[in-house]
């Protein structure tokens, strides 16, 4: 019926958020208009970033209050050394940690991008 096109994240500064995710996943930010930037990732997804006036970041969920609505997962490697290197990189790009607990049990760590959207660095066994 329809072909999937984009994942769009609202934010206060689409260019800045596109550059953040280009640093995380690669690709080239392309500003299509002042309020819309697409991250072109060869052979990959097509994330887009849209300016939203009065933007308020999502709150990280708490079981007693907030449900999680949406987040991005990134395959950051198959070893914790690779995850640790990715951790250092996303922090240097402006991410902040949300949940780094029990990583051996969960195989992922949770961060917020500079606009406050949650995303995960996942340890994925490659076969």
């Amino acid at each position: 019926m329809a072909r999937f096109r984009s994942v769009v994240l609202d934010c206060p500064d689409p260019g800045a958020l596109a550059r953040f995710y280009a640093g995380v996943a690669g690709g080239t930010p392309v500003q299509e208009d002042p309020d819309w930037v697409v991250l072109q990732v060869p052979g990959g997804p097509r994330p887009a970033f849209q300016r939203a006036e009065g933007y308020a970041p999502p709150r990280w969920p708490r079981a007693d209050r907030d449900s999680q609505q949406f987040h991005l997962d990134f395959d950051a490697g198959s070893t914790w050394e690779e995850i640790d290197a990715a951790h250092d990189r996303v922090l240097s790009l402006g991410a902040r940690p949300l949940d780094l607990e029990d990583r051996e049990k969960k195989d992922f760590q949770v961060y917020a991008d500079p606009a406050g959207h949650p995303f995960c660095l996942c340890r994925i066994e490659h076969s």
Side-chain angles (χ1 to χ4, degrees):
M1 181 175 102
R3 190 176 69 195
F4 181 77
R5 178 167 171 81
S6 299
V7 172
V8 181
L9 298 176
D10 286 354
C11 59
D13 185 342
L17 198 56
R19 288 188 297 277
F20 170 82
Y21 280 107
V24 173
T28 304
V30 176
Q31 187 155 355
E32 294 186 353
D33 70 41
D35 297 325
W36 184 268
V37 178
V38 172
L39 181 59
Q40 293 183 342
V41 181
R46 185 183 185 272
F49 307 92
Q50 173 178 270
R51 184 178 320 280
E53 296 303 322
Y55 170 79
R59 294 184 303 182
W60 181 243
R62 288 180 38 183
D64 64 339
R65 225 179 35 213
D66 302 316
S67 66
Q68 180 171 233
Q69 295 180 14
F70 186 87
H71 73 274
L72 302 172
D73 282 347
F74 292 92
D75 177 349
S78 61
T79 68
W80 284 112
E81 291 78 21
E82 291 171 301
I83 302 302
D84 290 342
H87 166 90
D88 292 343
R89 177 75 176 138
V90 298
L91 293 182
S92 75
L93 292 168
R96 63 182 170 84
L98 292 177
D99 182 357
L100 304 179
E101 302 298 318
D102 299 325
R103 73 183 199 170
E104 294 297 333
K105 292 179 185 175
K106 295 192 284 188
D107 284 338
F108 62 88
Q109 297 182 149
V110 186
Y111 302 83
D113 69 22
H117 302 102
F119 70 94
C120 296
L121 295 179
C122 302
R123 187 175 68 88
I124 306 294
E125 295 293 331
H126 300 121
S127 46

